[in-house]
Amino acid sequence: APDREVLTWEGFGDASRELTQQIVDSGWIPDLIVAIARGGLIPAGAIAYAMDVKAIGTMNVEFYSGIGETLEEPQLLPPLMDVSAMDGKRVLVVDDVADSGKTLKMVMDLIDEHGLSLDGSAAVRVEARSVVIYKKPVSIIEPDYVWAYTDKWINFPWSTLPVIKP
Ligand code: 5GP
């Protein structure tokens, strides 16, 4: 079997607390947390609780169809978040891993492009930062906050067990 990086639920608990500590220590507290679904949902919830941020949105992006099998480009899926909800806010974008980094880059670019369409006044400026549990060496984007580095396929605790079928 190929060598895997295994994140346990307990490891995930530690990662969430340590990432939140990193973010708080950097002196930057988000107004809004945006989870990249589905991989970023559970990390985003844990970080939101750890720093007591109640405003959470999601962006639903699909890229992988299986281990190592990718679509051409990440696809934004409905329901779509209204990006103007981010105007004037510090936004923390959360995902499980920056692997190719294409998913995270797509979301960060989308937020930046929305920012460019605004008049640029301080009242609406969006300041977005990103956090991931893992970053792989091939990633085309450097997330602002990273817990660990690996080049292996990662088993996350929420997606390792078989799907419960009817
Ligand atoms: P990226 O766009 O950075 O290549 O990755 C997009 C998404 O694919 C990640 O948010 C994650 O959900 C999934 N993914 C990428 N690499 C891995 C991995 O090593 N393990 C698992 N379980 N999912 C991954």
Side-chain angles (χ1 to χ4, degrees):
D3 200 14
R4 300 282 175 92
E5 170 79 22
V6 176
L7 184 67
T8 62
W9 280 115
E10 194 176 359
F12 163 66
D14 292 342
S16 305
R17 297 293 302 184
E18 289 170 26
L19 280 170
T20 303
Q21 189 73 58
Q22 263 191 53
I23 298 162
V24 171
D25 286 350
S26 74
W28 188 84
I29 303 294
D31 305 299
L32 170 66
I33 290 180
V34 172
I36 303 182
R38 289 175 298 173
L41 281 173
I42 294 168
I47 291 169
Y49 269 110
M51 58 172 66
D52 197 25
V53 170
K54 290 174 179 164
I56 303 199
T58 63
M59 302 248 283
N60 199 8
V61 184
E62 182 179 77
F63 190 26
Y64 281 72
S65 42
I67 295 171
E69 290 170 40
T70 64
L71 305 169
E72 289 280 300
E73 289 299 323
Q75 305 279 331
L76 207 51
L77 300 175
L80 297 183
M81 183 180 172
D82 182 1
V83 186
S84 64
M86 301 180 193
D87 293 356
K89 298 208 154 67
R90 284 180 297 262
V91 179
L92 181 67
V93 177
V94 184
D95 209 351
D96 49 358
V97 50
D99 187 326
S100 71
K102 285 187 179 180
T103 300
L104 187 59
K105 184 169 190 300
M106 179 209 194
V107 170
M108 300 311 279
D109 285 352
L110 206 114
I111 296 171
D112 285 349
E113 280 156 24
H114 170 72
L116 291 177
S117 74
L118 299 168
D119 65 7
S121 83
V124 291
R125 192 170 300 133
V126 184
E127 198 202 328
R129 294 192 185 181
S130 59
V131 56
V132 294
I133 300 177
Y134 288 103
K135 177 183 179 267
K136 298 199 184 177
V138 293
S139 176
I140 58 169
I141 186 170
E142 185 60 53
D144 294 286
Y145 307 98
V146 178
W147 182 65
Y149 300 82
T150 185
D151 58 2
K152 296 174 189 156
W153 185 262
I154 306 148
N155 281 356
F156 289 104
W158 47 84
S159 55
T160 303
L161 294 174
V163 170
I164 298 165
K165 295 193 167 127

